[in-house]
Amino acid sequence: MFSETPIGQPRIRRILERIRTSGRLPHALLFWGPEGTGKTSAAIELARSLHCDRGETGACGECAPCGRTGTLGHADFNVIVPAMRKTKDAELRRVAEEAVSDPYGYPMPDEGTSVVVERLREAVKEFTLGSFEGGWRTMVFLDAHRIRPESANILLKTLEEPPEQSLMILTAPAPERLLPTIVSRCQALAFPPVSRTELKAHLTSLTSVSETVAEYAADASGGSLRRAIALTGEDVAGLQARASRFLEALVTGREAHTFLALEQLASDKQEVFDVLQAAEIWLADTLRFRQRGEAAFAPEAPRIQTLRELSSLFDEKLIDTAAREIERIRDMSLRNINLQVSLVSMWRTLQRAV
Ligand SMILES: [Zn+2]
């Protein structure tokens, strides 16, 4: 239902409802924005609502057509996911089914996957035939930026001459990732990062998530609900401890020891970003601790102890330098600069600033 989907995006939910009830749906929509902002969830919900017996406010999830779209068993509803060429059809279908049932948790396609041209041709051909059941024909195309340019023509023809009563929804991180000829034929809707308040509210509504973990995950997810949910399953206390040790080592560690630790850290890219993210939150909290004291924090002994230690090592200026360095590493990593070099450079900069 649009009253719940996509999670934490009230403005998008209102727009979807307006699109759905306007009676003048475009033939093609492009939902774009960062990962975890609800594009998949929204695309699937809107498409399913068109097949639903009472879909004005979203897919009811209870009628017979909803039952069939919910398991990808509806002849007029299709979800396309990118895959490796060798991926079997059954596996592909399983991933698409998971995307429908768990849009924030289904396995994201690996880098290097694309939409195999034969599969694209087949799906588009079926789509152009229009509805089998006499209603809407819908197709949701997840990560459409992974279509190879040479296959894009197949899609382009259909976008130019869509069948009657049909809707195609594409999702992508940004319009620039698609060919302009495709973008120009879609009505685009931008999905912003989910706000911290919305993230925290959703996470705390999940019974298994504690307040502390919800807070950390909301802070560290960068507005991605997918990431935030994944973070709640991780050892948050362990990650926070690794991040505070990382910060301490940068300013007090023994030369050889710190170098080895950075070298080891750099070998795991995801761990680097997790640690940097957690370190960034420590720095923000340390600043708050220095300015407003212990009263600004809930009385959780272990965290307060770490903040005491960090604020004895990091003054305002050093906090600022460290935060800038973290930002710089993130920027550099987008340009594929060696992570170990970046981390060592951060360490040297902080050493000079101490
Ligand atoms: Zn329904």
Side-chain angles (χ1 to χ4, degrees):
M1 306 292 280
F2 300 129
S3 56
E4 295 159 6
T5 310
I7 297 166
Q9 298 280 32
R11 191 182 65 89
I12 300 276
R13 296 203 295 253
R14 284 196 298 276
I15 294 173
L16 291 180
E17 192 160 357
R18 212 182 310 140
I19 292 177
R20 175 64 180 81
T21 51
S22 69
R24 286 181 302 132
L25 258 98
H27 280 293
L29 286 163
L30 167 63
F31 290 174
W32 68 272
E35 186 198 308
T37 51
K39 305 182 299 292
T40 302
S41 157
I44 287 168
E45 183 71 16
L46 180 59
R48 286 185 70 201
S49 80
L50 293 170
H51 302 290
C52 171
D53 282 343
R54 30 178 202 262
E56 292 254 302
T57 55
C60 76
E62 285 162 6
C63 68
C66 275
R68 287 185 290 136
T69 53
T71 53
L72 279 186
H74 196 297
D76 291 329
F77 169 67
N78 198 2
V79 176
I80 311 286
V81 288
M84 305 302 264
R85 178 168 282 276
K86 61 177 193 297
T87 307
K88 301 257 188 317
D89 286 342
E91 169 64 8
L92 208 55
R93 189 190 157 91
R94 199 188 56 75
V95 175
E97 274 173 9
E98 258 192 86
V100 172
S101 63
D102 185 9
Y104 293 96
Y106 80 99
M108 298 281 290
D110 290 333
E111 280 178 41
T113 54
S114 65
V115 180
V116 177
V117 63
E118 293 82 18
R119 284 185 174 133
L120 177 66
R121 194 171 284 132
E122 197 179 325
V124 167
K125 194 172 138 201
E126 270 182 31
F127 183 77
T128 51
L129 294 174
S131 168
F132 287 109
E133 300 195 6
W136 281 85
R137 176 90 209 188
T138 60
M139 177 151 88
V140 172
F141 213 127
L142 299 178
D143 297 297
H145 58 294
R146 290 178 190 268
I147 286 188
R148 292 188 199 286
E150 60 268 27
S151 316
N153 263 336
I154 302 170
L155 201 59
L156 205 54
K157 242 179 268 168
T158 318
L159 289 171
E160 279 166 354
E161 293 166 42
E164 280 294 297
Q165 230 191 351
S166 70
L167 174 66
M168 191 189 289
I169 310 177
L170 314 180
T171 73
E176 306 83 73
R177 303 286 299 274
L178 296 165
L179 289 178
T181 42
I182 289 188
V183 178
S184 68
R185 283 167 179 82
C186 298
Q187 188 174 314
L189 179 59
F191 282 59
V194 183
S195 78
R196 190 185 175 280
T197 320
E198 293 277 1
L199 282 171
K200 205 183 149 205
H202 177 71
L203 295 177
T204 38
S205 76
L206 309 172
T207 47
S208 55
V209 179
S210 75
E211 180 94 12
T212 323
V213 170
E215 198 146 302
Y216 174 78
D219 277 340
S221 64
S224 163
L225 183 61
R226 172 187 274 270
R227 180 84 190 111
I229 292 171
L231 279 168
T232 62
E234 281 171 27
D235 170 20
V236 165
L239 176 61
Q240 286 177 321
R242 295 201 295 284
S244 63
R245 281 201 303 273
F246 165 76
L247 286 172
E248 285 169 8
L250 290 178
V251 291
T252 63
R254 279 182 295 124
E255 181 85 11
H257 189 255
T258 302
F259 188 83
L260 270 180
L262 292 181
E263 189 178 46
Q264 201 190 0
L265 175 62
S267 66
D268 183 345
K269 196 172 170 188
Q270 186 59 51
E271 173 72 2
V272 173
F273 289 108
D274 288 349
V275 166
L276 289 179
Q277 186 104 57
E280 208 169 32
I281 294 168
W282 274 128
L283 291 169
D285 283 347
T286 304
L287 185 65
R288 190 148 61 104
F289 187 88
R290 288 182 66 94
Q291 292 172 343
R292 292 165 50 198
E294 293 190 18
F297 295 85
E300 303 159 50
R303 207 152 150 263
I304 291 290
Q305 185 52 38
T306 309
L307 286 171
R308 267 193 215 117
E309 283 160 23
L310 286 174
S311 59
S312 71
L313 296 170
F314 285 80
D315 62 11
E316 268 85 346
K317 193 170 143 272
L318 203 54
I319 288 171
D320 186 58
T321 309
R324 278 167 201 269
E325 284 295 303
I326 290 177
E327 203 136 302
R328 196 182 54 80
I329 294 179
R330 268 206 209 98
D331 281 357
M332 302 271 256
S333 74
L334 296 175
R335 287 181 274 136
N336 276 329
I337 308 258
N338 185 308
L339 272 177
Q340 191 185 335
V341 174
S342 301
L343 289 171
V344 170
S345 150
M346 172 179 187
W347 174 36
R348 298 293 182 216
T349 306
L350 289 188
Q351 289 288 311
R352 280 195 300 273
V354 171

